[in-house]
Amino acid sequence: MNRTKGDEEEYWNSSKFKAFTFDDEDDELSQLKESKRAVNSLRDFVDDDDDDDDLERVSWSGEPVGSISWSIKETAGNSGSTHEGREQLKSRNSFSSYAQLPKPTSTYSLSSFFRGRTRPGSFQSLSDALSDTPAKSYAPELGRPKGEYRDYSNDWSPSDTVRRLRKGKVCSLERFRSLQDKLQLLEEAVSMHDGNVITAVLIFLKRTLCKEILFRELEVRQVALRHLIHFLKEIGDQKLLLDLFRYLDRTEELALSHYREHLNIQDPEKRKEFLKTCIGLPFSAEDSAHIQDHYTLLERQIIIEGTFSSPINLKKTFKIPDKQYVLTALAARAKLRAWHDVDALFTTKNWLGYTKKRAPIGFHRVVEILHKNSAPVQILQEYVNLVEDVDTKLNLATKFKCHDVVIDTYRDLKDRQQLLAYRSKVDKGSAEEEKIDALLSSPQIRWKN
Amino acid sequence: MRYIANLVNADKLAGRTRKYKVIFSPQKFYACEMVLEEEGIYGDVSCDEWAFSLLPLDVDLLSMELPEFFRDYFLEGDQRWINTVAQALHLLSTLYGPFPNSYGIGRCAKMSYELWRKLEEEEDGETKGRRPEIGHTFLLDRDTDFVTALCSQVVYEGLVDDTFRIKCGSVDFGPEVTSSDKSLKVLLNAEDKVFSEIRNEHFSNVFGFLSQKARNLQAQYDRRRGMDIKQMKNFVSQELKGLKQEHRLLSLHIGACESIMKKKTKQDFQELIKTEHALLEGFSIRESTSYIEEHIDRQVSPIESLRLMCLLSITENGLIPKDYRSLKTQYLQSYGPEHLLTFSNLRRAGLLTEQAPGDTLTAVESKVSKLVTDKAAGKITDAFSSLAKRSNFRAISKKLNLIPRVDGEYDLKVPRDMAYVFSGAYVPLSCRIIEQVLERRSWQGLDEVVRLLNCSEFAFTDMTKEDKASSESLRLILVVFLGGCTFSEISALRFLGREKGYRFIFLTTAVTNSARLMEAMSEVKA
């Protein structure tokens, strides 16, 4: 009985994976010493071998005692003091079976060859004192991967994790590795209702699951699915988004999503090309027609801009001099009463970026043409103002009844007589008359006459 | 985030070392962190959060200033702001004590409430034992009542918002209003004495009121003619400043009114209102439809045209397929083919839908479609059905008497019910629901309405807290609008408060109106 207990202790103690203690690791010197001792003891074993030749010990499992395979079996399954209950349960079962093995003193087994000394001062060393075998093993052990020995505690359950996430706390989701764990985490997040948390979990799932599995699982989880779609839209992962729509057989959304991209394309040619690719997409019947129209429209616009019928192009092709061009364009625009275009004809930007009005034909001509095309007084007024020669300006202004221009010009000339004379030409009681009166009675103007 | 990342990476490339700080308001999202990490600048920027969640716009109006809430939740189904709402509610309950009675309608309302309760449980003790100061809380989803949000507003504050856009409680009045060559930014709240008297009034009353006030003001000024020195001194020191202030405000508001009236005449407002009322009441649908068609053809305004189409769709339970196709085509031709995407968004949100065959008004009343639940197994083939709900406006309208029966003229000067905010034609649905639930202190008797609204509702009373509440606090009601609230609704509820002796406090994710709603759904930036 004692031996069994000792065996058990030894069994436990021989595990490489100890529970966390605050002790230091073995120092290397004592390990070296121990190895030396082991080697020496091996010599004994070897020496004794001849005597025991015909006596072969075999364990319950049929392995000859002391053989490699036996040693492996012995050490297998006792490493990895994991926190998962089921693992321990499994190990515990195996312990009980192993406890029944007639264990020789370890000096005669191969596994003992690899055993080192336990750490001083630990629980194990106490039992070590009871048993006469040093317990630590350096054998290549079959067990859980080293990486799984966790030396920090990160044990939050899915609901705790989700709660932490909601508060914005740092939370590594790495430990949710099994699909089941991942899905449980997602479920908790969804029941918490916080979209930020749901998205955080989805970011993790996107990184750690292949897309087929991800899509398959989200297909039946509408809330999470919506969050993923929005997330992909926001970060611009167009490829995955389209894959997702394809998987879900949401053909119309697929088409629309693809179409939406055209808004990002500035260059008309490229945009046209892109639209072409949209035409064959699975829109609804009417929408397909609309896309086709859009494409056609853009096509036409580009054509009009770039080719023969565009005025700019005509000008270039036939080297029409500015003057002729401006005259023709002016008449055309004026006929159409497109005053903005008229304005644009004469507006240029100088190198400082300021706009300035210029005309290759003299603004007096411009005014005449505009008048001929029945431009309204306000428009005429604007261009009369641009005439440089004062006399011409006055003439035109008077002729075309651009009262404000006349008044302003006489004011600038400080010519009171003329202004007074003009007063009789304007309508009685009109705003212009008031303006003249105001100017005439203004003490700030030093009249010439 | 990408913009920030580009800036930082450009600096890195140019060899500039700088410190960067990013301040997130109201909170940082995990997706943002992910992008920072992805772009390789996570270690270069330090992040702060400024948890600014409630902006008091007025004595009874709190805004969370989250206009994006509407699109994020009602179009994309993203629940990211629910936590923010829950936090805001939690903040209020720590300030004003626990809320004994809570009611709500709508999926978002339910989720916000549940999350808020979780928060309260976690941080228990903060509100324990405190006396409740707010007796009732009502949470409402915007999509419970789209109709009200889409109508043209005719109370003064609503009109100012529709015309000039009120932002964060202030408005920019341009030169045509200020009668000078400068623009003026004006704060609009209860502090503005003139404004507070006219804000909830129907527009027809406002001009008359302002003229009267102007006359009074003139009379006050004129008093100084008959004063002696002592009285004059008194007048100047005590009253003049106030009068001057009032004068300034008056002229601003008169200017605003003039500007509004000019715009409305240009827009042919009368005809527009007539059409809206017809849609609300359910008459002359064909005329209304052709009015909308003409509106589109004349290219009056893309937002307005869209708004009218949505109003038609919701009141009529969707457009008939022929109309839907025809109006959509004309819209795309008038305003641009890219709006194809806008139409798709509107359909997803349930604002502009097509009637399915056999979907006449009578048929729909008997089959009520349920929202798709989370645990639904199998593929969801109709991609658009998950968020949108079918509207049953006419049935609800009848059940709740939203269209008042008027014998004779409806007196707008002395309104007798909440319909005055829409010239007597329509009682806002959201306000009516709140009124009914508060009266009954529960949803009893409103099952049919709830069924027609296609929503989940809840009511929760915590008796322990109710006992502690004073009668005063039981008359104070916090109304929470999730997705935005209009000034018309605020005016209507203020009226209700005066009638029934309640006091309403409004908490909204943002102040909204029909234009903002349409812009949120538009895929094409104007």
Side-chain angles (χ1 to χ4, degrees):
Chain A
M1 232 47 237
N2 233 3
R3 197 161 66 137
T4 322
K5 183 150 193 199
D7 288 341
E8 272 195 45
E9 304 280 36
E10 180 192 288
Y11 218 87
W12 280 105
N13 299 339
S14 67
S15 158
K16 195 165 186 174
F17 299 100
K18 310 267 183 268
F20 179 74
T21 67
F22 291 101
D23 295 348
D24 297 325
E25 300 290 321
D26 288 336
D27 69 308
E28 290 180 45
L29 190 57
S30 59
Q31 286 180 5
L32 191 60
K33 276 197 198 142
E34 207 37 61
S35 309
K36 237 179 151 191
R37 213 177 297 144
V39 170
N40 291 334
S41 66
L42 186 64
R43 217 168 274 136
D44 293 339
F45 176 66
V46 167
D47 290 342
D48 280 344
D49 208 16
D50 300 328
D51 292 338
D52 287 332
D53 222 2
D54 41 335
L55 186 67
E56 203 188 275
R57 290 187 199 144
V58 175
S59 74
W60 284 123
S61 55
E63 253 83 30
V65 167
S67 70
I68 302 283
S69 52
W70 177 85
S71 150
I72 287 172
K73 276 227 170 62
E74 183 194 322
T75 55
N78 63 6
S79 57
S81 58
T82 58
H83 297 134
E84 280 120 54
R86 28 194 165 99
E87 285 300 307
Q88 286 182 347
L89 209 55
K90 208 167 58 181
S91 315
R92 215 163 269 135
N93 287 333
S94 57
F95 288 157
S96 48
S97 62
Y98 275 113
Q100 287 150 26
L101 276 170
K103 283 198 57 196
T105 50
S106 52
T107 40
Y108 297 121
S109 75
L110 198 60
S111 51
S112 76
F113 175 62
F114 296 107
R115 282 205 194 100
R117 204 215 196 108
T118 55
R119 278 178 247 134
S122 67
F123 172 72
Q124 290 88 335
S125 64
L126 189 61
S127 57
D128 257 19
L130 298 172
S131 71
D132 49 9
T133 56
K136 193 171 176 199
S137 169
Y138 288 102
E141 291 176 356
L142 182 69
R144 299 190 66 78
K146 292 192 188 56
E148 286 192 17
Y149 173 53
R150 261 167 295 135
D151 52 3
Y152 64 94
S153 187
N154 179 17
D155 252 356
W156 295 296
S157 66
S159 51
D160 283 335
T161 308
V162 162
R163 216 166 293 146
R164 281 178 68 85
L165 284 173
R166 191 196 52 75
K167 293 193 189 147
K169 296 203 180 146
V170 169
C171 208
S172 167
L173 302 176
E174 300 308 321
R175 68 180 209 88
F176 295 97
R177 305 199 76 172
S178 73
L179 185 61
Q180 194 182 26
D181 285 346
K182 287 177 162 61
L183 292 177
Q184 201 186 359
L185 182 65
L186 185 61
E187 218 125 296
E188 284 288 337
V190 170
S191 65
M192 167 80 51
H193 299 318
D194 183 356
N196 184 29
V197 174
I198 298 174
T199 307
V201 174
L202 286 172
I203 290 172
F204 167 65
L205 293 186
K206 172 177 176 276
R207 205 173 62 223
T208 57
L209 282 176
C210 74
K211 69 179 182 191
E212 286 79 25
I213 304 290
L214 180 64
F215 291 174
R216 186 191 73 197
E217 293 302 331
L218 290 185
E219 195 177 357
V220 293
R221 295 175 166 84
Q222 283 306 298
V223 174
L225 182 62
R226 280 203 292 271
H227 283 82
L228 181 66
I229 293 175
H230 191 219
F231 171 69
L232 293 177
K233 276 189 199 158
E234 285 199 319
I235 60 165
D237 193 343
Q238 187 71 354
K239 185 173 175 308
L240 195 63
L241 184 65
L242 295 179
D243 283 344
L244 180 56
F245 284 143
R246 230 170 267 130
Y247 178 88
L248 295 169
D249 221 1
R250 295 203 193 171
T251 51
E252 202 162 342
E253 274 184 77
L254 172 68
L256 286 167
S257 218
H258 185 79
Y259 176 64
R260 188 176 283 112
E261 286 290 291
H262 91 275
L263 293 171
N264 299 334
I265 305 175
Q266 305 289 8
D267 175 56
E269 261 308 320
K270 293 208 184 88
R271 197 187 266 210
K272 187 192 79 158
E273 286 310 310
F274 182 83
L275 280 178
K276 206 176 198 173
T277 64
C278 292
I279 292 182
L281 293 175
F283 290 101
S284 67
E286 310 88 61
D287 282 353
S288 292
H290 292 134
I291 300 286
Q292 180 74 48
D293 284 347
H294 191 182
Y295 171 71
T296 316
L297 176 66
L298 210 57
E299 212 178 27
R300 292 273 164 81
Q301 281 177 335
I302 292 177
I303 291 175
I304 290 176
E305 241 346 281
T307 58
F308 307 136
S309 28
S310 112
I312 301 283
N313 205 286
L314 281 170
K315 181 173 186 280
K316 277 205 202 106
T317 316
F318 297 102
K319 300 199 198 356
I320 298 173
D322 277 1
K323 208 156 146 183
Q324 186 172 20
Y325 175 73
V326 165
L327 279 170
T328 318
L330 175 60
R333 290 292 110 189
K335 274 210 183 61
L336 291 171
R337 306 186 85 70
W339 309 123
H340 281 302
D341 290 353
V342 172
D343 197 88
L345 268 177
F346 300 115
T347 308
T348 53
K349 265 201 170 100
N350 71 6
W351 63 279
L352 282 171
Y354 292 113
T355 55
K356 202 175 127 117
K357 285 228 173 24
R358 269 186 42 215
I361 54 171
F363 279 105
H364 58 285
R365 282 286 285 136
V366 175
V367 172
E368 275 167 14
I369 294 173
L370 285 173
H371 177 76
K372 214 157 50 149
N373 285 293
S374 328
V377 179
Q378 302 98 292
I379 304 286
L380 284 177
Q381 200 141 255
E382 216 183 292
Y383 291 97
V384 171
N385 241 330
L386 293 168
V387 176
E388 288 187 21
D389 178 66
V390 179
D391 285 353
T392 324
K393 189 199 268 195
L394 275 173
N395 272 337
L396 286 170
T398 319
K399 188 163 141 193
F400 297 127
K401 301 218 181 338
C402 301
H403 300 307
D404 281 327
V405 180
V406 179
I407 298 169
D408 288 339
T409 315
Y410 282 137
R411 178 199 66 202
D412 292 334
L413 290 173
K414 304 202 200 315
D415 195 338
R416 200 166 74 89
Q417 298 288 15
Q418 289 287 28
L419 191 56
L420 206 51
Y422 197 77
R423 189 175 178 282
S424 51
K425 295 218 184 98
V426 301
D427 298 321
K428 276 242 164 318
S430 65
E432 288 82 17
E433 197 184 59
E434 273 184 42
K435 188 173 177 182
I436 296 178
D437 283 343
L439 282 172
L440 286 173
S441 55
S442 159
Q444 291 173 328
I445 305 180
R446 290 219 198 91
W447 299 102
K448 268 193 327 201
N449 46 24
Chain B
M1 284 295 110
R2 301 237 188 256
Y3 178 73
I4 295 173
N6 288 340
L7 284 174
V8 177
N9 282 325
D11 275 351
K12 278 197 198 169
L13 264 164
R16 277 190 284 260
T17 33
R18 282 196 174 122
K19 281 193 182 165
Y20 307 90
K21 189 182 267 291
V22 183
I23 301 178
F24 293 89
S25 181
Q27 70 178 98
K28 182 173 63 162
F29 289 136
Y30 287 108
C32 300
E33 273 189 349
M34 186 208 90
V35 174
L36 288 176
E37 198 179 340
E38 219 173 64
E39 297 279 342
I41 61 166
Y42 189 81
D44 304 301
V45 308
S46 71
C47 297
D48 276 358
E49 258 185 10
W50 186 39
F52 181 85
S53 54
L54 294 173
L55 176 70
L57 291 179
D58 210 332
V59 294
D60 58 353
L61 178 58
L62 296 163
S63 166
M64 295 179 66
E65 291 302 304
L66 288 175
E68 53 263 68
F69 187 105
F70 180 70
R71 187 182 164 114
D72 278 351
Y73 180 76
F74 290 105
L75 179 63
E76 307 285 4
D78 197 319
Q79 295 166 194
R80 53 165 52 137
W81 301 112
I82 293 189
N83 186 32
T84 323
V85 172
Q87 301 271 26
L89 287 172
H90 180 63
L91 178 65
L92 286 175
S93 67
T94 52
L95 286 173
Y96 297 108
F99 306 147
N101 294 297
S102 308
Y103 317 97
I105 183 153
R107 208 169 140 256
C108 187
K110 191 132 194 235
M111 290 196 284
S112 305
Y113 177 76
E114 282 170 6
L115 185 55
W116 170 44
R117 290 243 63 85
K118 277 200 194 124
L119 275 183
E120 297 275 316
E121 272 161 27
E122 275 175 29
E123 290 165 58
D124 197 29
E126 285 191 40
T127 60
K128 238 193 180 69
R130 280 203 55 182
R131 298 203 54 163
E133 286 175 51
I134 299 177
H136 307 267
T137 321
F138 202 108
L139 286 87
L140 204 87
D141 279 13
R142 184 69 264 169
D143 66 353
T144 316
D145 177 10
F146 275 139
V147 175
T148 307
L150 290 173
C151 290
S152 292
Q153 302 190 74
V154 286
V155 291
Y156 183 65
E157 194 165 13
L159 213 40
V160 172
D161 189 25
D162 276 355
T163 316
F164 300 105
R165 280 303 167 98
I166 301 179
K167 279 199 194 89
C168 290
S170 68
V171 68
D172 269 319
F173 282 140
E176 76 278 7
V177 174
T178 59
S179 325
S180 68
D181 51 4
K182 280 190 297 175
S183 300
L184 200 63
K185 199 179 189 110
V186 180
L187 209 59
L188 289 177
N189 55 30
E191 300 261 308
D192 178 336
K193 293 282 171 273
V194 176
F195 182 68
S196 60
E197 286 191 77
I198 54 173
R199 70 195 305 184
N200 299 318
E201 292 292 316
H202 189 272
F203 191 62
S204 58
N205 292 337
V206 172
F207 208 64
F209 178 87
L210 289 175
S211 321
Q212 183 63 44
K213 226 174 168 66
R215 277 196 290 275
N216 291 349
L217 197 64
Q218 193 60 46
Q220 297 262 42
Y221 268 144
D222 290 341
R223 269 175 47 224
R224 73 187 192 281
R225 292 193 204 284
M227 282 184 185
D228 62 25
I229 292 292
K230 188 152 179 278
Q231 284 173 323
M232 182 70 87
K233 195 165 161 215
N234 207 27
F235 179 76
V236 170
S237 63
Q238 313 272 44
E239 295 182 45
L240 193 60
K241 188 153 164 234
L243 285 177
K244 265 197 151 63
Q245 172 85 315
E246 213 176 309
H247 184 201
R248 193 182 70 90
L249 291 171
L250 255 184
S251 58
L252 267 176
H253 287 295
I254 291 177
C257 281
E258 282 176 347
S259 188
I260 292 173
M261 290 210 288
K262 226 190 295 184
K263 281 205 178 84
K264 292 301 170 193
T265 14
K266 212 168 95 178
Q267 270 175 8
D268 199 9
F269 198 53
Q270 287 297 90
E271 195 64 36
L272 181 71
I273 293 287
K274 214 172 79 154
T275 311
E276 278 184 36
H277 289 179
L279 288 174
L280 290 167
E281 289 161 35
F283 297 129
S284 321
I285 298 299
R286 287 316 317 157
E287 277 93 326
S288 308
T289 313
S290 37
Y291 175 84
I292 298 175
E293 193 176 36
E294 205 189 301
H295 196 272
I296 298 175
D297 291 340
R298 277 168 45 216
Q299 295 182 26
V300 179
S301 142
I303 296 293
E304 275 292 301
S305 297
L306 223 47
R307 174 180 82 85
L308 289 168
M309 283 199 284
C310 291
L311 197 55
L312 174 63
S313 171
I314 299 185
T315 51
E316 285 291 297
N317 252 345
L319 303 179
I320 61 178
K322 186 168 70 92
D323 284 343
Y324 184 83
R325 272 197 291 275
S326 152
L327 288 177
K328 180 172 169 182
T329 310
Q330 291 180 66
Y331 189 92
L332 295 181
Q333 284 169 346
S334 280
Y335 298 117
E338 312 81 40
H339 283 289
L340 193 73
L341 297 162
T342 309
F343 274 83
S344 149
N345 288 346
L346 288 171
R347 176 144 33 125
R348 268 195 7 240
L351 282 161
L352 182 52
T353 55
E354 200 178 334
Q355 279 173 18
D359 226 8
T360 57
L361 230 45
T362 47
V364 125
E365 277 177 356
S366 53
K367 60 172 161 104
V368 179
S369 65
K370 293 271 176 215
L371 280 172
V372 176
T373 63
D374 281 341
K375 307 247 171 49
K379 271 193 185 166
I380 314 296
T381 46
D382 184 357
F384 298 122
S385 71
S386 53
L387 283 175
K389 300 180 321 178
R390 202 167 284 132
S391 148
N392 294 307
F393 183 72
R394 299 258 176 265
I396 296 170
S397 170
K398 242 185 280 186
K399 266 249 148 18
L400 290 174
N401 288 322
L402 297 181
I403 313 288
R405 235 144 293 276
V406 191
D407 346 286
E409 269 305 299
Y410 187 94
D411 187 358
L412 291 168
K413 281 213 198 336
V414 186
R416 54 156 194 221
D417 57 26
M418 295 192 278
Y420 90 89
V421 300
F422 291 116
S423 309
Y426 161 70
V427 175
L429 171 59
S430 52
C431 305
R432 178 66 102 206
I433 294 174
I434 294 172
E435 177 201 60
Q436 290 299 303
V437 174
L438 284 176
E439 236 173 58
R440 298 148 205 262
R441 294 280 204 100
S442 72
W443 289 93
Q444 262 188 330
L446 294 170
D447 313 310
E448 187 65 19
V449 174
V450 171
R451 195 177 65 84
L452 287 169
L453 281 171
N454 227 333
C455 291
S456 46
E457 91 297 357
F458 64 89
F460 179 74
T461 302
D462 188 338
M463 282 319 293
T464 58
K465 299 196 184 104
E466 169 120 340
D467 293 333
K468 286 215 193 83
S470 65
S471 61
E472 175 79 39
S473 70
L474 280 176
R475 281 200 296 276
L476 193 58
I477 299 143
L478 176 71
V479 181
V480 185
F481 283 92
L482 298 164
C485 134
T486 61
F487 283 116
S488 298
E489 285 162 310
I490 294 176
S491 292
L493 285 172
R494 281 182 184 143
F495 172 86
L496 184 69
R498 286 196 292 275
E499 286 274 293
K500 300 280 170 89
Y502 299 135
R503 256 189 69 204
F504 284 101
I505 308 273
F506 305 98
L507 170 61
T508 177
T509 54
V511 168
T512 190
N513 60 12
S514 55
R516 291 193 187 91
L517 241 53
M518 293 294 101
E519 281 163 13
M521 291 287 132
S522 175
E523 204 61 44
V524 183
K525 299 307 157 208

